[in-house]
């Protein structure tokens, strides 16, 4: 069983530009994290885009959808900004692909040393290995069905809608 | 669904004594980690012991077994030193308790800033939520059946026996 | 010999707002750093303002100047954003106060875990203890006279003008 | 003005062996620290030994002394374990070399992420640039004369003897 990890950017992969004092994207840290965590799950990492999810367009989401459809793997983890994770999840969920797709992300950049990304990536990989076909958001140690999840803007945690 | 997290020590919770330059145990960091990771899974943390797993005796394992049996929760995560994790797993597995029990640990202490414990705890919590009754070791992003797992002493990663 | 440490903000004290993904100021970390470093130098920490040095006005600099003049201590360290550190240094230098005044800062926020602020604060405290009266910028392990220093915008390091 | 940095080991450079759970020495981190801190002081780093200072012998101290005597630089920083730093300082002090020699170290290994070594190295480099000829211990933001310093074993901080 091999896992496909699709990288789209988000806080997870943001870096701090020391010269300009801003946060920006360079390249994904997912491979070095998997290596550092001694993760032995067979996984392929593919960067589709490196963007803030607030700037993700319908065209970007089409790229993600198409990649999920066409790739060989049946188990897919997508790293994604948390702000519009629920929108991408709904779009993918409606497409009804016969695969297990898990979206995850982080509130704190990996490079800041104490990111929640390690924990979230750990649970995302575990959930994608065990959950049945479907599209899920994995945050805060839990998984949510694509059609029943939202980010609570005040607390920053994910919750069921109803 | 509530999870019981049983703490037994292990590298995960080791600290560095600045005055004597040795590694030792003070108290568990599991609650502060769950809080930092914004984990919203309903979880109870109970410290059973704080020891290096090389020093874990049969009597210690009895304590763990009894607690697993008697506690209300049906889903249990045990943080444990990696050196004898497979021994405790076998003992618990043979007891045939109708619960999902996951043992996990770390190769690097949490306090060293870049511990694999975050990742492992994230996957342990995800696996305990989804796997059927049984006893499992969760390390390196994977789960292993209690009767088919060992730590490779040379590489430090876990693998199937056969 | 007691040292006065005046805090004005700058990258050093910037924090990451997890909910909005921006950098902002809350309160200074200088006291907790001194404590963590087991610094036993007698030092008083006073926060004058918490601003990005690009937004520092002449009025703000007047506040700093007045405080340097009136405080009892003869040795003063000022934490300051690096972008206009040289401007404040020149203003203070021209005032010709009979004290040793050292400006320092950081390129990476303290909260990001691997800040150059620890190193810079360490050298600033050492230089203020040993240098004669005058105004200095301390960055990159070196001290610069107030009238012969600038930040190289391309490399981010400080250098002599001439 | 160029500085010679002599590495002898000590807590500063200790690493954690994930497979055996012990602290050990591999190679010094001083060059990568200087680079990370954007230190622009002209400095040469030379590793003389990599040992715990409790195991430092008279012969080891002879090596340090000889190197201090013969090297071209007039300003020397020595990274050293804290437990016997005062002994090496006294030996070097009695040799009466016409140079400025500063011994420094750390209570927490660099690799643990929040080491006091950054701060101490920052002040050691600053003190060696400014202090007159002599041998000094630099710890906790302060400098001590070689014949009036000891480590307080209970608190871990350095203090005057008399």
């Amino acid at each position: 069983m091999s896992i496909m990890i699709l990288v789209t950017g988000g806080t997870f992969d943001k870096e701090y530009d020391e010269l300009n004092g801003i946060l920006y994207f360079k390249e994904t840290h997912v491979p070095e994290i998997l290596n550092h965590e001694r993760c032995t799950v067979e996984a392929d990492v593919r960067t589709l885009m490196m963007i803030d999810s607030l700037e993700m367009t319908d065209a970007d989401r089409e790229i993600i959808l198409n990649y999920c459809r066409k790739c060989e793997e049946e188990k897919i983890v997508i790293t994604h900004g948390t702000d519009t994770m629920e929108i991408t999840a709904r779009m993918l969920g409606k497409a009804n692909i016969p695969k297990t797709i898990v979206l995850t992300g982080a509130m704190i950049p990996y490079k800041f040393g104490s990111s929640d990304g390690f924990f979230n990536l750990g649970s995302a990989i575990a959930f994608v290995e065990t959950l049945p076909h479907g599209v899920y958001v994995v945050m805060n140690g839990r998984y949510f069905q694509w059609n029943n999840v939202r980010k609570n803007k005040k607390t920053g945690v994910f919750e069921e809608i109803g």
Side-chain angles (χ1 to χ4, degrees), chain A:
Chain A
M1 179 201 60
S2 180
I3 292 177
M4 169 58 70
I5 302 182
L6 299 180
V7 173
T8 72
T11 296
F12 197 76
D13 272 326
K14 273 191 181 160
E15 306 214 15
Y16 183 67
D17 179 341
E18 299 176 16
L19 288 180
N20 300 310
I22 53 166
L23 296 162
Y24 75 114
F25 292 107
K26 206 160 62 179
E27 53 183 63
T28 183
H29 302 287
V30 171
E32 79 186 75
I33 293 172
L34 295 179
N35 189 47
H36 178 266
E37 306 297 343
R38 296 167 173 274
C39 182
T40 54
V41 177
E42 210 181 310
D44 204 4
V45 181
R46 182 70 57 107
T47 301
L48 294 189
M49 59 201 74
M50 281 296 267
I51 57 173
D52 191 309
S53 81
L54 287 173
E55 286 160 18
M56 193 178 277
T57 63
D58 287 351
D60 293 326
R61 291 196 169 87
E62 278 299 317
I63 292 171
I64 299 172
L65 173 61
N66 287 337
Y67 205 92
C68 287
R69 272 205 180 107
K70 80 169 192 210
C71 74
E72 275 186 14
E73 287 81 359
E74 201 190 298
K75 295 174 177 303
I76 303 170
V77 170
I78 304 172
T79 65
H80 195 290
T82 58
D83 284 319
T84 69
M85 195 183 280
E86 61 201 64
I87 298 175
T88 307
R90 275 199 290 275
M91 190 269 290
L92 292 174
K94 284 177 187 164
N96 213 12
I97 309 168
K99 299 188 173 189
T100 302
I101 301 174
V102 163
L103 294 96
T104 194
M107 298 295 286
I108 306 172
Y110 158 71
K111 291 286 269 185
F112 290 11
S114 62
S115 171
D116 51 337
F118 304 104
F119 182 85
N120 291 342
L121 195 58
S123 28
I125 287 175
F127 278 127
V128 91
E129 292 178 56
T130 48
L131 287 174
H133 288 177
V135 175
Y136 310 88
V137 163
V138 167
M139 289 292 289
N140 315 304
R142 300 175 61 196
Y143 70 93
F144 299 87
Q145 301 285 348
W146 62 269
N147 55 2
N148 191 16
V149 60
R150 71 174 163 213
K151 182 182 174 185
N152 184 316
K153 305 290 180 193
K154 275 192 194 157
T155 61
V157 303
F158 283 71
E159 59 192 18
E160 279 94 3
I161 294 173

